[in-house]
Amino acid sequence: MSEYSETVSWSSFLKSIASVSGDLSSFTAPPFILSPVSLSEFSQYWGAYQDLFLGVAQINKQNYEAYYPQIRSIKSPDVTRMLAVLQWYLATLKCQYTSRTQKGAFEKKPLNPFLGEVFVGKWENNESKKSDTIFLSEQVSHHPPVNAFAVFNEENNIQVQGYSQIKTSFSKTLKLNVKQQGHAILETNGNSFLITFPSLHLEGMLVAAPYVELEDTSYIQSSCGMIWRIEYSGKGYFSGQKNSFKANLYKDAKAMEKNEKPIFTVNGQWSGVSTIFDGNKEVLFSDQSKHQPQPLKVKPIENQHNLESRKAWDDVAKAIELGDMKLISQTKNKLENNQRELRKKEAKEKKPWENRWFKKVDVIKTKTEPDFEGDTINKLVALAELSGISIKNIQSGSKTGTKEHKKATTASHWSFVMDNWLNEKEITI
């Protein structure tokens, strides 16, 4: 496609998307802005920085002071663990939201996963299979689109699981806004952390070079009581830095609400360098360039199940790489039409699709069932109560007491069922 026709196509795309009101999740994107990668692959970024992810699990009373030798006022393993969780989390943000635009490319729309689509792989660490970190992703709902994921390492006793449901809209100022529902829960060696998701928007739409910028606030609540409040901002017209953030660590949610002096404050770019105030001294906290993501090992396409992302979307991905607009439309329509026929068949036979590794749990209902064996859901409830974060199905990180919280009536969340994975017969790593 010529530069002129690309410009015309982009202009036409902006006009068409601006005419859509409400949620854009079902909007059909034109082929020229499609990425050859399914959105189901994006959750792998939670485990991409294996050194930082596994490092959280290795903190103890004997070594906690050695993790951040430049920070002199660390007084307990819990504080070191909170710092390590933040550092790992910032690295996942970089991987999720900037890794595709670092070499001059612009952000493209990933392929929308179909119901039941899965993406699996592993990070190999040593000879023992127990030391491998396993990654699982499953599209548990198509309308609305919801992706659930789990990353776990048996030998190091660490796991993060969660799910995300996005709602997109287009503003009058031609800004694409994305609000997220869902959360992640990190668990390791008796410690658990509730992580909420920030909102985001696409900058650079008018110049046909979109990139992601985070906004609003997210939280990391620990079972030890401490909580991070992370505020995001971007580059303004006259000042500011791209991908900026400020994170304050408080002893508990009450101290945060009272705006008491934080234990630590971290400032900088979540995609680059950040510093921390140690007393009155500002020292380096994290330099993202010092940590490299470890590639996920994925089976060759010929060895994959038909539900696995890269095999399912192979023909579409090849057409996108070729830049063949007609072939993109043909292959994409074929896959999507097949999925529609499956849904019709299921409805006719009254046999709805069964999810593989994740279960949807009504938290309000199960709180009244003492025999409920949902350990992670119980941790979600406990951590949400510590932080004052709503467990209802509203924007991630919303607090109890807000209008949205009071108005919402449902609190259903997706939870990983390890036994389902251990008993899996068809899909292998």
Side-chain angles (χ1 to χ4, degrees), residues 39 64 97 99 105 117 131 165 182 345 351 367 376 383 394:
L39 188 62
Y64 76 92
Y97 299 119
S99 61
E117 180 179 329
S131 67
Q165 175 185 332
K345 182 181 178 181
K351 294 181 179 180
K367 284 179 73 174
T376 302
L383 291 166
I394 53 179

Side-chain angles (χ1 to χ4, degrees), residues 71 83 264-266 274-278 281-285:
I71 306 173
L83 292 170
F264 285 115
T265 296
V266 179
S274 56
T275 58
I276 185 169
F277 283 91
D278 186 18
K281 185 179 180 182
E282 188 175 15
V283 298
L284 177 69
F285 175 64

Side-chain angles (χ1 to χ4, degrees), residues 117-340:
E117 180 179 329
V118 297
F119 181 66
V120 301
K122 64 181 177 180
W123 291 275
E124 294 179 326
N125 293 297
N126 288 307
E127 296 79 15
S128 169
K129 285 187 177 181
K130 287 185 177 181
S131 67
D132 291 343
T133 300
I134 306 301
F135 168 73
L136 307 174
S137 169
E138 179 181 355
Q139 192 71 9
V140 292
S141 173
H142 188 63
H143 295 296
V146 181
N147 178 263
F149 65 90
V151 181
F152 53 92
N153 184 293
E154 182 180 353
E155 186 174 272
N156 287 276
N157 193 24
I158 186 169
Q159 171 185 283
V160 62
Q161 65 162 290
Y163 75 94
S164 175
Q165 175 185 332
I166 62 173
K167 185 175 183 179
T168 55
S169 61
F170 209 60
S171 71
K172 293 181 180 179
T173 56
L174 298 183
K175 185 170 74 172
L176 187 64
N177 300 301
V178 180
K179 303 295 183 184
Q180 300 192 79
Q181 286 187 21
H183 60 265
I185 293 183
L186 175 69
E187 301 172 76
T188 180
N189 298 318
N191 302 283
S192 53
F193 306 82
L194 170 62
I195 303 168
T196 68
F197 305 148
S199 299
L200 57 103
H201 63 270
L202 284 184
E203 295 276 7
M205 295 287 287
L206 288 176
V207 293
Y211 66 89
V212 171
E213 190 63 86
L214 304 182
E215 61 185 25
D216 295 339
T217 304
S218 69
Y219 302 92
I220 302 176
Q221 173 67 60
S222 169
S223 54
C224 75
M226 286 186 278
I227 184 170
W228 282 109
R229 179 173 64 198
I230 311 167
E231 298 169 307
Y232 305 89
S233 60
K235 181 176 175 58
Y237 192 80
F238 295 106
S239 63
Q241 277 189 315
K242 187 178 178 181
N243 306 153
S244 295
F245 80 97
K246 177 181 179 181
N248 285 327
L249 177 64
Y250 296 93
K251 64 179 182 180
D252 54 35
K254 288 182 179 179
M256 180 180 68
E257 295 302 327
K258 292 179 180 179
N259 207 27
E260 294 181 4
K261 184 179 179 180
I263 300 170
F264 285 115
T265 296
V266 179
N267 288 291
Q269 291 179 286
W270 48 263
S271 59
V273 175
S274 56
T275 58
I276 185 169
F277 283 91
D278 186 18
N280 294 322
K281 185 179 180 182
E282 188 175 15
V283 298
L284 177 69
F285 175 64
S286 181
D287 182 349
Q288 301 284 27
S289 67
K290 304 297 184 183
H291 301 273
Q292 297 302 317
Q294 184 177 333
L296 183 73
K297 185 174 182 179
V298 181
K299 301 190 305 290
I301 287 176
E302 58 268 24
N303 296 336
Q304 293 182 15
H305 189 279
N306 290 335
L307 291 174
E308 293 188 62
S309 296
R310 292 183 183 177
K311 185 169 186 177
W313 291 101
D314 188 38
D315 290 340
V316 180
K318 288 176 179 175
I320 292 173
E321 296 287 0
L322 290 171
D324 188 327
M325 301 300 157
K326 184 177 180 180
L327 186 59
I328 293 171
S329 295
Q330 289 175 344
T331 54
K332 188 169 179 287
N333 288 339
K334 180 181 178 181
L335 187 150
E336 291 171 344
N337 287 334
N338 286 341
Q339 287 298 310
R340 292 186 186 99

Side-chain angles (χ1 to χ4, degrees), residues 136 149-150 152 159 161 357-359 414-418 421:
L136 307 174
F149 65 90
F152 53 92
Q159 171 185 283
Q161 65 162 290
W357 309 314
F358 296 86
K359 179 181 180 181
W414 292 93
S415 182
F416 176 52
V417 183
M418 177 64 81
W421 165 247

